[in-house]
Amino acid sequence: MSVLSGRCVVLGVTGSIAAYKAVEVCNRLVDSGAHVIPVLTKSATRMIGLATFSALASEPAKTSLWHDLRTPIPHIVVCRKADLILVCPATARLISDLRTGRSADLLTATISASQAPLLVVPAMHAEMWEQPAVQDNMSVLVERGASVVWPVEGRLAGGDVGLGRMADPSVVLAAVEKELSPRDFQERRVLVTAGGTSEPIDAVRFIGNRSSGRQGCAIAAAAHARGAVVELVVTRNAQAHIPSGVKVTTVETASEMLAAVKAKAPAADVVVMAAAVADFRPRASYTGKISKNTGIPKLELEATEDILIVLGSQRKPSQILVGFAAETEDIEVKARRKLEDKQLQVIVANDVSKDQVGFDYETNEVLIITSTGDRLHVPLTSKSEIARSMLDVVAGMMSKAGM
């Protein structure tokens, strides 16, 4: 179950050229389980067809206060359904209307009547975005409690480049999830590790693993959405998956990750070691590149320090330590042994020999076991959903412990 499952999102679309991106936002919201009601301004229909939104959304697209005589107060009907109103994209004119409370069409009337949270996604030419009046209007909306997905620099209509481009649909979806997520991690400090460490053999070769960092980064994103102050220690190969809103430290080797985690863990309420840390490294690495003409080199390995054991031995009583176990057989037996041996409160185990599970995939299937005896199997689903399920377990433990 996604955090958006069963939640009603009113998707307001205005007359920006970026209206085409709202189609993808609509599609992603529906795929995540949301009930989407599209409300388009008259100007928006000049940019994108009603049939597109009607086909993709949960209800037919709506445009007018007056055309449906069966519903004499459509703005009230729509606003009472809304868990969130998302204006994507938002033009300078719409932003001005929101600031003054002007309700000249179905969208602005719905927003004026609603008590639901408001999320605004501006998109316009740089010259318009930089106008003092627009900036002042945005400041007032933020002061009143509206949330904003701020525009970014990039290519604009007409081939110009500047600040005003609508944020990527994936960023908009993450903002919607944050708005509708429980706030049970509010101001909690959460430390997450992600990715796979690389242990150098020489200047160009290394010992590594197949971890993409997707799962750890999904956990960091989900914790941030639930109100946590998140620090993410991430390897270089996982840079593409880093979520916004978190503090990032980039490392490469197991020893670098150990140093970063040891420095940050004492201040954390929850530590999630989702990274795939190398168990072995070359005892000595070459400063240059080993030439194959010199023959096959002898590679002597040594064990790296077990970061989980270090954290478990130094854990303060109020801290929750979460470990991961990527296995190919005897999954639960090995996970329970690791839970006990490393003094963890939660272990998340998966069978990486299964199709679509673990490394390289956007999906996962896990078994979550706690030190208090709870056991939760999460069948194959997205890594975002795995993150949500794991945080639900941690939140339950914090609640029981009175944390």
Side-chain angles (χ1 to χ4, degrees), residues 46-95:
R46 294 178 179 271
M47 300 293 180
I48 198 81
L50 289 177
T52 302
F53 286 98
S54 294
L56 294 175
S58 310
E59 296 186 17
K62 307 178 192 310
T63 61
S64 175
L65 282 162
W66 313 110
H67 289 172
D68 189 353
L69 297 179
R70 297 166 299 177
T71 310
I73 48 172
H75 56 303
I76 301 300
V77 172
V78 171
C79 80
R80 285 177 177 171
K81 294 180 179 180
D83 292 304
L84 174 75
I85 297 180
L86 168 66
V87 184
C88 173
T91 59
R93 184 171 69 176
L94 187 281
I95 291 167

Side-chain angles (χ1 to χ4, degrees), residues 60 72 95 115 147 161 167 302 380 394:
I95 291 167
Q115 299 298 313
S147 297
V161 175
E302 65 180 6
L380 189 68
V394 173

Side-chain angles (χ1 to χ4, degrees), residues 23-340:
V23 176
E24 184 177 351
V25 171
C26 177
N27 201 36
R28 290 189 180 212
L29 289 170
V30 172
D31 285 347
S32 297
H35 182 94
V36 180
I37 304 175
V39 179
L40 278 66
T41 65
K42 183 178 179 180
S43 296
T45 63
R46 294 178 179 271
M47 300 293 180
I48 198 81
L50 289 177
T52 302
F53 286 98
S54 294
L56 294 175
S58 310
E59 296 186 17
K62 307 178 192 310
T63 61
S64 175
L65 282 162
W66 313 110
H67 289 172
D68 189 353
L69 297 179
R70 297 166 299 177
T71 310
I73 48 172
H75 56 303
I76 301 300
V77 172
V78 171
C79 80
R80 285 177 177 171
K81 294 180 179 180
D83 292 304
L84 174 75
I85 297 180
L86 168 66
V87 184
C88 173
T91 59
R93 184 171 69 176
L94 187 281
I95 291 167
S96 176
D97 286 347
L98 295 181
R99 191 250 173 91
T100 62
R102 182 172 182 265
S103 54
D105 55 20
L106 178 57
L107 177 57
T108 51
T110 299
I111 295 171
S112 295
S114 179
Q115 299 298 313
L118 176 64
L119 178 59
V120 180
V121 187
M124 64 195 75
H125 239 74
E127 290 90 343
M128 296 183 71
W129 175 247
E130 292 166 358
Q131 280 292 325
V134 174
Q135 293 300 307
D136 186 55
N137 289 340
M138 289 302 305
S139 297
V140 171
L141 294 185
V142 171
E143 288 173 5
R144 292 176 183 170
S147 297
V148 183
V149 180
W150 299 98
V152 298
E153 289 211 22
R155 185 176 179 273
L156 307 171
D160 296 342
V161 175
L163 180 60
R165 181 181 176 89
M166 181 183 138
D168 188 82
S170 63
V171 177
V172 177
L173 181 65
V176 172
E177 291 176 338
K178 181 178 180 179
E179 288 296 313
L180 294 177
S181 290
R183 308 298 286 178
D184 47 1
F185 280 77
Q186 190 70 38
E187 299 304 319
R188 299 284 187 180
R189 302 190 66 86
V190 176
L191 173 63
V192 183
T193 66
T197 62
S198 302
E199 309 302 324
I201 297 172
D202 62 12
V204 298
R205 303 177 181 91
F206 62 89
I207 296 174
N209 57 64
R210 291 168 52 200
S211 176
S212 65
R214 283 190 178 96
Q215 186 64 81
C217 288
I219 292 167
H224 174 66
R226 293 167 79 150
V229 177
V230 180
E231 290 210 49
L232 177 64
V233 178
V234 63
T235 57
R236 299 186 189 282
N237 70 316
Q239 299 292 299
H241 308 297
I242 294 174
S244 60
V246 304
K247 184 177 180 181
V248 178
T249 299
T250 302
V251 299
E252 185 172 355
T253 66
S255 60
E256 289 175 356
M257 181 165 284
L258 173 62
V261 169
K262 282 181 69 175
K264 298 174 185 300
D269 300 301
V270 180
V271 179
V272 183
M273 279 294 301
V277 182
D279 293 319
F280 308 101
R281 64 178 165 231
R283 186 175 294 277
S285 62
Y286 295 80
T287 54
K289 177 185 175 182
I290 303 171
S291 174
K292 64 181 179 181
N293 295 328
T294 61
I296 300 174
K298 291 182 179 181
L299 192 61
E300 185 178 357
L301 301 179
E302 65 180 6
T304 60
E305 193 165 8
D306 193 313
I307 298 177
L308 273 177
I309 287 181
V310 173
L311 293 177
S313 65
Q314 298 178 355
R315 183 186 72 87
K316 58 188 179 183
S318 60
Q319 188 180 72
I320 293 178
L321 180 58
V322 182
F324 276 67
E327 304 290 351
T328 57
E329 58 184 3
D330 299 328
I331 310 301
E332 185 164 354
V333 172
K334 291 181 178 179
R336 289 186 179 278
R337 185 181 304 138
K338 188 172 185 178
L339 178 76
E340 182 177 347

